[in-house]
Amino acid sequence: MHVVKGRTDRVVVVGAGLSGLSAALHLRGAGHEVTVVERQPHPGGLAGRLDVGGHRIDTGPTVLTMPELLDDAFAAVGHKREDHLELLPLHPAYRAAFADGTALDVHTDADRMEQAVRDFAGDREAQGYRDLRAWLTKLYEVERDRFIGASFDSPLDLVGPDLVRLARLGGFGSLAKAVGRFLRDDRLRRVFTFQSLYAGVAPKDALAAYAVIAYMDTIAGVWFPRGGMRAVPQALADAAAEAGVVFHYGVEVEELERVGHRVNAVRTADTRIACDAVVLATGPAQSIRLLRGEPRRVVPLRWSPSAVVVHLSSGRVAEDLAHHTISFGDKWNGTFDEIIRQGKLMSDPSLLLTTPTLTDPALAPEGRHLQYLLAPCPNLDAAPLRWDALAHRYAEELVDEMSARKLLVDAEPLAVVTPDDWARGGQAAGTPFSAAHTFAQTGPFRPGNLPFRDGNVVLAGSGTTPGVGIPPVLISGRLAAQRLRHR
């Protein structure tokens, strides 16, 4: 792996999102002087926060997996995660509700899930689940260190025994077909392939290698932090500050002072911060701005779909609702076509409803529930819709649809987040899911975390290696720190 040449004693991390905080902790643990500059008044980045009428709203991701990556970040500075953050395991990890009125609780325990599948779809599917679970586990073991947990300098870095193993496991085939080899029931197939939408690709077009996301969700387990998702970046920032990392909140970086591809200082409106290296954990749009449009790609990036999120206050919740409930529409394949290819809103929506107060009641006033309704939608490049005029009407339609499905009761909107809001926050094409995980934007073909071989700038976040989601973003921070290790 290529590392930045020259001194890297003083590092400025731009952005206090999860990737930036991960980078800061790993850098500080390796002995660097670290300064973090964040334009918001608090840490979190896309894992944002909003308080409305006593409701403690998380505006970003709600699904937390692979907590050992958090353990690694805390351990880098000699801390224990338990001293800063309490994580509560979710059982079930999800509840899947289908258009035919059936529902399935998704358990991470193998025996419990096998029995749930048997009761839901019969013996043949139960054995198929067992075989799928074994395949997902092998896939993760092959990908974990070499493909997910590594930086790439060249496509040739892929070559080796693990590439052969991944090919033998069918990792370069279609995700939908791979899961279909194990499961015949269409409802079950959806449970283990829906995750590809957030990677920006329909299951039939996604690489089977991305089934590792289903491994993280359905086998490794799903967790929720007491105090809400905002507690994660706050805990990381607290540990970093205790270890000597300096934070500047409410300050935006306006310019990188450069000589060629090397940055000598980071400039804000009022301050010049001298440095030996920079980690840009800002997202692709802001990184491109700060790097003055460099490096230029021959083929423009294709962006993932976006999402509309409706934050709700409810007096009561529907019966049998789980912390995370996925409500699948009937027109599953058509949904992907509408969002990705046609640039249309879903005519038969599949939606994620999260009710965090089922796990942590303190997130809402007494007698109320906080709920988060996520609807995938086209990004601004695919469909430049007038969200300023459309947002509240569409939010009402989504609430009405979930009420008709008997999954929402007595729900009142608190806030609506649209692609326009993601764009105002600096997300390219108005999507929080960054560059789509197409073959041409995966692994060594994804924008690298070292944009200039002769420079001292390193990237972190969902737009670079390894990709989208809390686990990859935390890994990206560690990978950025490794690029700056002392020679």
Side-chain angles (χ1 to χ4, degrees):
M1 180 187 72
H2 185 80
V3 296
V4 169
K5 296 178 181 178
R7 291 175 60 106
T8 59
D9 296 358
R10 302 168 301 165
V11 182
V12 174
V13 178
V14 184
L18 294 177
S19 66
L21 293 168
S22 173
L25 285 162
H26 285 287
L27 285 165
R28 184 62 188 145
H32 301 265
E33 295 179 22
V34 183
T35 301
V36 178
V37 183
E38 167 57 48
R39 64 180 179 175
Q40 296 295 327
H42 50 71
L46 278 174
R49 58 180 74 173
L50 177 67
D51 295 332
V52 179
H55 299 80
R56 293 167 58 82
I57 299 170
D58 291 317
T59 60
T62 63
V63 179
L64 175 62
T65 62
M66 311 303 287
E68 60 269 26
L69 295 172
L70 289 172
D71 295 342
D72 291 344
F74 285 111
V77 293
H79 286 234
K80 292 183 178 179
R81 185 254 305 161
E82 308 90 78
D83 293 336
H84 294 272
L85 183 68
E86 181 183 2
L87 296 183
L88 307 169
L90 299 184
H91 301 297
Y94 296 102
R95 175 163 294 141
F98 301 95
D100 63 1
T102 59
L104 174 70
D105 283 349
V106 178
H107 302 286
T108 54
D109 177 77
D111 292 338
R112 195 173 179 188
M113 186 60 183
E114 181 183 357
Q115 187 58 51
V117 172
R118 180 174 289 109
D119 295 341
F120 182 75
D123 291 342
R124 193 268 166 206
E125 295 299 270
Q127 183 57 52
Y129 161 73
R130 274 288 189 180
D131 295 340
L132 173 63
R133 185 183 179 98
W135 177 74
L136 289 172
T137 302
K138 291 177 184 175
L139 197 70
Y140 175 71
E141 289 171 350
V142 168
E143 293 186 43
R144 179 185 56 208
D145 297 326
R146 191 67 204 89
F147 299 98
I148 300 173
S151 294
F152 295 97
D153 293 322
S154 159
L156 293 176
D157 291 344
L158 281 174
V159 177
D162 287 334
L163 181 65
V164 176
R165 294 189 191 102
L166 184 59
R168 285 176 178 168
L169 286 168
F172 296 105
S174 159
L175 172 62
K177 289 181 179 178
V179 172
R181 291 199 304 269
F182 300 99
L183 301 172
R184 295 176 183 171
D185 190 293
D186 184 60
R187 298 166 300 173
L188 291 174
R189 291 179 180 183
R190 295 183 188 189
V191 169
F192 292 95
T193 61
F194 80 88
Q195 298 90 346
S196 72
L197 179 59
Y198 305 117
V201 189
K204 65 183 179 62
D205 299 322
L207 291 175
Y210 283 109
V212 293
I213 307 175
Y215 170 88
M216 295 173 184
D217 286 357
T218 66
I219 297 177
V222 179
W223 305 74
F224 187 73
R226 189 177 297 281
M229 293 296 290
R230 66 176 69 186
V232 176
Q234 189 63 61
L236 292 170
D238 290 345
E242 289 178 25
V245 174
V246 176
F247 285 86
H248 297 284
Y249 291 114
V251 178
E252 184 160 9
V253 172
E254 296 189 347
E255 183 184 5
L256 302 180
E257 187 179 294
R258 285 169 50 180
V259 177
H261 292 149
R262 297 192 69 86
V263 176
N264 299 318
V266 168
R267 287 189 175 274
T268 70
D270 304 314
T271 310
R272 178 185 184 273
I273 306 172
C275 60
D276 300 313
V278 172
V279 175
L280 292 182
T282 56
Q286 292 298 317
S287 296
I288 290 169
R289 177 182 70 81
L290 291 171
L291 293 175
R292 305 170 195 164
E294 295 185 278
R296 293 174 177 82
R297 285 176 64 92
V298 176
V299 179
L301 286 171
R302 174 183 147 188
W303 304 102
S304 294
S306 186
V308 171
V309 180
V310 186
H311 298 284
L312 301 159
S313 176
S314 302
R316 56 196 177 99
V317 297
E319 251 183 85
D320 299 325
L321 205 65
H323 185 112
H324 294 297
T325 300
I326 305 166
S327 177
F328 289 100
D330 189 45
K331 300 175 183 177
W332 179 239
N333 291 325
T335 291
F336 291 95
D337 198 55
E338 286 174 333
I339 295 172
I340 296 173
R341 291 188 173 84
Q342 298 178 35
K344 295 181 179 179
L345 298 176
M346 295 178 288
S347 58
D348 182 20
S350 291
L351 305 165
L352 171 64
L353 178 64
T354 295
T355 309
T357 42
L358 290 175
T359 304
D360 187 353
L363 298 175
E366 187 174 354
R368 304 298 296 180
H369 277 282
L370 177 61
Q371 297 188 288
Y372 167 115
L373 181 60
L374 184 148
C377 70
N379 64 46
L380 294 179
D381 284 357
L385 299 170
R386 286 288 310 277
W387 284 108
D388 55 340
L390 178 63
H392 291 286
R393 176 167 57 83
Y394 187 53
E396 290 175 3
E397 291 176 8
L398 294 172
V399 170
D400 289 346
E401 178 64 29
M402 290 295 273
S403 299
R405 296 180 187 183
K406 303 188 185 310
L407 292 172
L408 275 180
V409 182
D410 185 28
E412 303 171 4
L414 295 169
V416 181
V417 181
T418 73
D420 280 353
D421 296 303
W422 302 120
R424 279 191 286 270
Q427 301 306 307
T431 174
F433 304 114
S434 198
H437 284 266
T438 60
F439 179 80
Q441 296 178 176
T442 292
F445 307 113
R446 199 166 182 80
N449 58 7
L450 188 66
F452 312 113
R453 292 274 294 203
D454 60 341
N456 62 347
V457 177
V458 185
L459 305 181
S462 59
T464 185
T465 305
V468 177
I470 290 178
V473 162
L474 290 170
I475 291 170
S476 79
R478 172 170 58 80
L479 296 179
Q482 289 173 353
R483 292 284 197 184
L484 297 172
R485 68 188 181 197
H486 292 291
R487 296 178 65 84

